[in-house]
PDB file of all heavy atoms in Angstrom:
ATOM      1  N   ALA A  51     -20.438  15.240   4.645  1.00  0.00           N
ATOM      2  CA  ALA A  51     -19.374  14.289   4.282  1.00  0.00           C
ATOM      3  C   ALA A  51     -19.085  14.336   2.781  1.00  0.00           C
ATOM      4  O   ALA A  51     -17.940  14.304   2.359  1.00  0.00           O
ATOM      5  CB  ALA A  51     -19.805  12.859   4.700  1.00  0.00           C
ATOM      6  N   THR A 108     -12.527  -5.980  -1.442  1.00  0.00           N
ATOM      7  CA  THR A 108     -12.266  -4.646  -1.984  1.00  0.00           C
ATOM      8  C   THR A 108     -11.940  -4.699  -3.429  1.00  0.00           C
ATOM      9  O   THR A 108     -12.452  -3.929  -4.286  1.00  0.00           O
ATOM     10  CB  THR A 108     -11.188  -3.930  -1.209  1.00  0.00           C
ATOM     11  OG1 THR A 108     -11.523  -3.843   0.174  1.00  0.00           O
ATOM     12  CG2 THR A 108     -10.925  -2.529  -1.708  1.00  0.00           C
ATOM     13  N   VAL A 130     -17.803   6.315  -6.123  1.00  0.00           N
ATOM     14  CA  VAL A 130     -18.177   5.274  -5.142  1.00  0.00           C
ATOM     15  C   VAL A 130     -17.507   5.554  -3.806  1.00  0.00           C
ATOM     16  O   VAL A 130     -18.172   5.395  -2.737  1.00  0.00           O
ATOM     17  CB  VAL A 130     -17.731   3.895  -5.711  1.00  0.00           C
ATOM     18  CG1 VAL A 130     -17.848   2.834  -4.600  1.00  0.00           C
ATOM     19  CG2 VAL A 130     -18.543   3.499  -6.921  1.00  0.00           C
ATOM     20  N   GLY A 192      -8.031   3.917  -0.931  1.00  0.00           N
ATOM     21  CA  GLY A 192      -8.680   4.096   0.359  1.00  0.00           C
ATOM     22  C   GLY A 192     -10.028   3.433   0.504  1.00  0.00           C
ATOM     23  O   GLY A 192     -10.588   3.374   1.594  1.00  0.00           O
ATOM     24  N   LEU A 200     -17.458   0.388   6.936  1.00  0.00           N
ATOM     25  CA  LEU A 200     -18.886   0.122   6.739  1.00  0.00           C
ATOM     26  C   LEU A 200     -19.311  -1.201   7.406  1.00  0.00           C
ATOM     27  O   LEU A 200     -20.288  -1.233   8.178  1.00  0.00           O
ATOM     28  CB  LEU A 200     -19.229   0.140   5.290  1.00  0.00           C
ATOM     29  CG  LEU A 200     -20.676  -0.021   4.892  1.00  0.00           C
ATOM     30  CD1 LEU A 200     -21.470   1.201   5.226  1.00  0.00           C
ATOM     31  CD2 LEU A 200     -20.812  -0.329   3.352  1.00  0.00           C
ATOM     32  N   THR A 324     -14.152 -16.638  16.807  1.00  0.00           N
ATOM     33  CA  THR A 324     -14.171 -15.945  15.521  1.00  0.00           C
ATOM     34  C   THR A 324     -12.777 -15.345  15.242  1.00  0.00           C
ATOM     35  O   THR A 324     -12.243 -15.478  14.123  1.00  0.00           O
ATOM     36  CB  THR A 324     -15.177 -14.788  15.551  1.00  0.00           C
ATOM     37  OG1 THR A 324     -16.475 -15.337  15.796  1.00  0.00           O
ATOM     38  CG2 THR A 324     -15.218 -14.051  14.209  1.00  0.00           C
ATOM     39  N   VAL A 328     -10.469 -16.399  11.998  1.00  0.00           N
ATOM     40  CA  VAL A 328     -10.055 -15.372  11.022  1.00  0.00           C
ATOM     41  C   VAL A 328      -8.554 -15.262  10.914  1.00  0.00           C
ATOM     42  O   VAL A 328      -7.980 -15.226   9.834  1.00  0.00           O
ATOM     43  CB  VAL A 328     -10.682 -14.001  11.382  1.00  0.00           C
ATOM     44  CG1 VAL A 328     -10.123 -12.920  10.475  1.00  0.00           C
ATOM     45  CG2 VAL A 328     -12.186 -14.058  11.206  1.00  0.00           C
ATOM     46  N   LEU A 329      -7.874 -15.239  12.064  1.00  0.00           N
ATOM     47  CA  LEU A 329      -6.426 -15.173  12.056  1.00  0.00           C
ATOM     48  C   LEU A 329      -5.788 -16.412  11.429  1.00  0.00           C
ATOM     49  O   LEU A 329      -4.801 -16.294  10.693  1.00  0.00           O
ATOM     50  CB  LEU A 329      -5.889 -15.010  13.487  1.00  0.00           C
ATOM     51  CG  LEU A 329      -6.042 -13.632  14.134  1.00  0.00           C
ATOM     52  CD1 LEU A 329      -5.627 -13.692  15.599  1.00  0.00           C
ATOM     53  CD2 LEU A 329      -5.209 -12.603  13.380  1.00  0.00           C
ATOM     54  N   THR A 392      17.875   8.525  17.552  1.00  0.00           N
ATOM     55  CA  THR A 392      19.060   7.680  17.875  1.00  0.00           C
ATOM     56  C   THR A 392      19.770   8.162  19.088  1.00  0.00           C
ATOM     57  O   THR A 392      20.851   7.658  19.409  1.00  0.00           O
ATOM     58  CB  THR A 392      20.008   7.672  16.680  1.00  0.00           C
ATOM     59  OG1 THR A 392      20.345   9.044  16.329  1.00  0.00           O
ATOM     60  CG2 THR A 392      19.387   7.012  15.427  1.00  0.00           C
ATOM     61  N   PHE A 414      -5.770   8.192  34.992  1.00  0.00           N
ATOM     62  CA  PHE A 414      -5.923   8.566  36.417  1.00  0.00           C
ATOM     63  C   PHE A 414      -7.342   9.037  36.737  1.00  0.00           C
ATOM     64  O   PHE A 414      -7.941   8.665  37.769  1.00  0.00           O
ATOM     65  CB  PHE A 414      -4.923   9.670  36.762  1.00  0.00           C
ATOM     66  CG  PHE A 414      -5.009  10.140  38.201  1.00  0.00           C
ATOM     67  CD1 PHE A 414      -4.365   9.386  39.180  1.00  0.00           C
ATOM     68  CD2 PHE A 414      -5.662  11.310  38.499  1.00  0.00           C
ATOM     69  CE1 PHE A 414      -4.466   9.788  40.524  1.00  0.00           C
ATOM     70  CE2 PHE A 414      -5.745  11.726  39.846  1.00  0.00           C
ATOM     71  CZ  PHE A 414      -5.155  10.957  40.836  1.00  0.00           C
ATOM     72  N   ALA A 433     -11.159   3.169  23.926  1.00  0.00           N
ATOM     73  CA  ALA A 433     -11.152   1.887  23.197  1.00  0.00           C
ATOM     74  C   ALA A 433     -11.388   2.105  21.738  1.00  0.00           C
ATOM     75  O   ALA A 433     -10.658   1.463  20.914  1.00  0.00           O
ATOM     76  CB  ALA A 433     -12.285   0.996  23.772  1.00  0.00           C
ATOM     77  N   GLN A 505      -9.751  21.659   0.365  1.00  0.00           N
ATOM     78  CA  GLN A 505      -8.434  21.995  -0.195  1.00  0.00           C
ATOM     79  C   GLN A 505      -7.588  20.731  -0.340  1.00  0.00           C
ATOM     80  O   GLN A 505      -6.933  20.548  -1.380  1.00  0.00           O
ATOM     81  CB  GLN A 505      -7.696  22.958   0.734  1.00  0.00           C
ATOM     82  CG  GLN A 505      -6.331  23.353   0.233  1.00  0.00           C
ATOM     83  CD  GLN A 505      -5.431  23.808   1.399  1.00  0.00           C
ATOM     84  OE1 GLN A 505      -5.549  23.375   2.513  1.00  0.00           O
ATOM     85  NE2 GLN A 505      -4.487  24.694   1.077  1.00  0.00           N
ATOM     86  N   ARG A 574      16.333   5.925 -23.230  1.00  0.00           N
ATOM     87  CA  ARG A 574      15.511   6.590 -24.230  1.00  0.00           C
ATOM     88  C   ARG A 574      16.287   7.745 -24.916  1.00  0.00           C
ATOM     89  O   ARG A 574      16.109   8.000 -26.070  1.00  0.00           O
ATOM     90  CB  ARG A 574      14.236   7.134 -23.555  1.00  0.00           C
ATOM     91  CG  ARG A 574      13.113   7.471 -24.534  1.00  0.00           C
ATOM     92  CD  ARG A 574      11.873   7.755 -23.749  1.00  0.00           C
ATOM     93  NE  ARG A 574      11.992   8.857 -22.807  1.00  0.00           N
ATOM     94  CZ  ARG A 574      11.599   8.833 -21.542  1.00  0.00           C
ATOM     95  NH1 ARG A 574      11.081   7.754 -21.039  1.00  0.00           N
ATOM     96  NH2 ARG A 574      11.753   9.915 -20.761  1.00  0.00           N
ATOM     97  N   GLY A 576      19.467   7.743 -25.342  1.00  0.00           N
ATOM     98  CA  GLY A 576      20.657   7.182 -26.044  1.00  0.00           C
ATOM     99  C   GLY A 576      21.905   7.110 -25.170  1.00  0.00           C
ATOM    100  O   GLY A 576      22.979   6.763 -25.646  1.00  0.00           O
ATOM    101  N   LEU A 585      21.373   0.681 -13.840  1.00  0.00           N
ATOM    102  CA  LEU A 585      20.630  -0.620 -13.724  1.00  0.00           C
ATOM    103  C   LEU A 585      21.446  -1.657 -12.972  1.00  0.00           C
ATOM    104  O   LEU A 585      20.906  -2.446 -12.203  1.00  0.00           O
ATOM    105  CB  LEU A 585      20.298  -1.127 -15.115  1.00  0.00           C
ATOM    106  CG  LEU A 585      19.179  -0.337 -15.846  1.00  0.00           C
ATOM    107  CD1 LEU A 585      19.120  -0.741 -17.286  1.00  0.00           C
ATOM    108  CD2 LEU A 585      17.846  -0.603 -15.154  1.00  0.00           C
ATOM    109  N   VAL A 605      19.332  -2.864 -22.459  1.00  0.00           N
ATOM    110  CA  VAL A 605      20.467  -1.925 -22.618  1.00  0.00           C
ATOM    111  C   VAL A 605      21.709  -2.673 -23.090  1.00  0.00           C
ATOM    112  O   VAL A 605      22.413  -2.191 -23.999  1.00  0.00           O
ATOM    113  CB  VAL A 605      20.744  -1.194 -21.263  1.00  0.00           C
ATOM    114  CG1 VAL A 605      22.096  -0.441 -21.348  1.00  0.00           C
ATOM    115  CG2 VAL A 605      19.599  -0.220 -20.966  1.00  0.00           C
ATOM    116  N   ASP A 658       0.860 -16.614 -24.921  1.00  0.00           N
ATOM    117  CA  ASP A 658       0.194 -17.653 -24.153  1.00  0.00           C
ATOM    118  C   ASP A 658      -0.174 -17.134 -22.766  1.00  0.00           C
ATOM    119  O   ASP A 658      -1.229 -17.449 -22.233  1.00  0.00           O
ATOM    120  CB  ASP A 658       1.118 -18.884 -24.005  1.00  0.00           C
ATOM    121  CG  ASP A 658       1.162 -19.702 -25.315  1.00  0.00           C
ATOM    122  OD1 ASP A 658       0.308 -19.474 -26.175  1.00  0.00           O
ATOM    123  OD2 ASP A 658       2.085 -20.532 -25.456  1.00  0.00           O
ATOM    124  N   TYR A 680       4.731 -17.246 -45.362  1.00  0.00           N
ATOM    125  CA  TYR A 680       3.444 -16.554 -45.416  1.00  0.00           C
ATOM    126  C   TYR A 680       2.305 -17.341 -44.835  1.00  0.00           C
ATOM    127  O   TYR A 680       1.405 -16.813 -44.105  1.00  0.00           O
ATOM    128  CB  TYR A 680       3.102 -16.153 -46.875  1.00  0.00           C
ATOM    129  CG  TYR A 680       4.172 -15.281 -47.506  1.00  0.00           C
ATOM    130  CD1 TYR A 680       4.808 -15.663 -48.690  1.00  0.00           C
ATOM    131  CD2 TYR A 680       4.538 -14.083 -46.910  1.00  0.00           C
ATOM    132  CE1 TYR A 680       5.803 -14.882 -49.228  1.00  0.00           C
ATOM    133  CE2 TYR A 680       5.509 -13.280 -47.464  1.00  0.00           C
ATOM    134  CZ  TYR A 680       6.143 -13.679 -48.642  1.00  0.00           C
ATOM    135  OH  TYR A 680       7.086 -12.918 -49.227  1.00  0.00           O
ATOM    136  N   GLN A 726     -14.017   0.088 -41.228  1.00  0.00           N
ATOM    137  CA  GLN A 726     -15.249   0.281 -40.444  1.00  0.00           C
ATOM    138  C   GLN A 726     -14.890   0.727 -38.985  1.00  0.00           C
ATOM    139  O   GLN A 726     -15.620   1.530 -38.416  1.00  0.00           O
ATOM    140  CB  GLN A 726     -16.059  -1.018 -40.411  1.00  0.00           C
ATOM    141  CG  GLN A 726     -16.800  -1.260 -41.715  1.00  0.00           C
ATOM    142  CD  GLN A 726     -17.678  -2.529 -41.578  1.00  0.00           C
ATOM    143  OE1 GLN A 726     -17.493  -3.347 -40.709  1.00  0.00           O
ATOM    144  NE2 GLN A 726     -18.642  -2.636 -42.487  1.00  0.00           N
ATOM    145  N   THR A 756      -6.586   8.104 -53.689  1.00  0.00           N
ATOM    146  CA  THR A 756      -7.009   9.500 -53.556  1.00  0.00           C
ATOM    147  C   THR A 756      -7.448   9.798 -52.129  1.00  0.00           C
ATOM    148  O   THR A 756      -7.079  10.824 -51.554  1.00  0.00           O
ATOM    149  CB  THR A 756      -8.176   9.771 -54.476  1.00  0.00           C
ATOM    150  OG1 THR A 756      -7.784   9.520 -55.854  1.00  0.00           O
ATOM    151  CG2 THR A 756      -8.659  11.212 -54.343  1.00  0.00           C
TER     152      THR A 756
END
Side-chain angles (χ1 to χ4, degrees):
T108 302
V130 171
L200 183 71
T324 302
V328 172
L329 284 174
T392 56
F414 179 80
Q505 181 205 27
R574 197 170 61 228
L585 287 168
V605 169
D658 284 345
Y680 301 123
Q726 285 185 340
T756 300

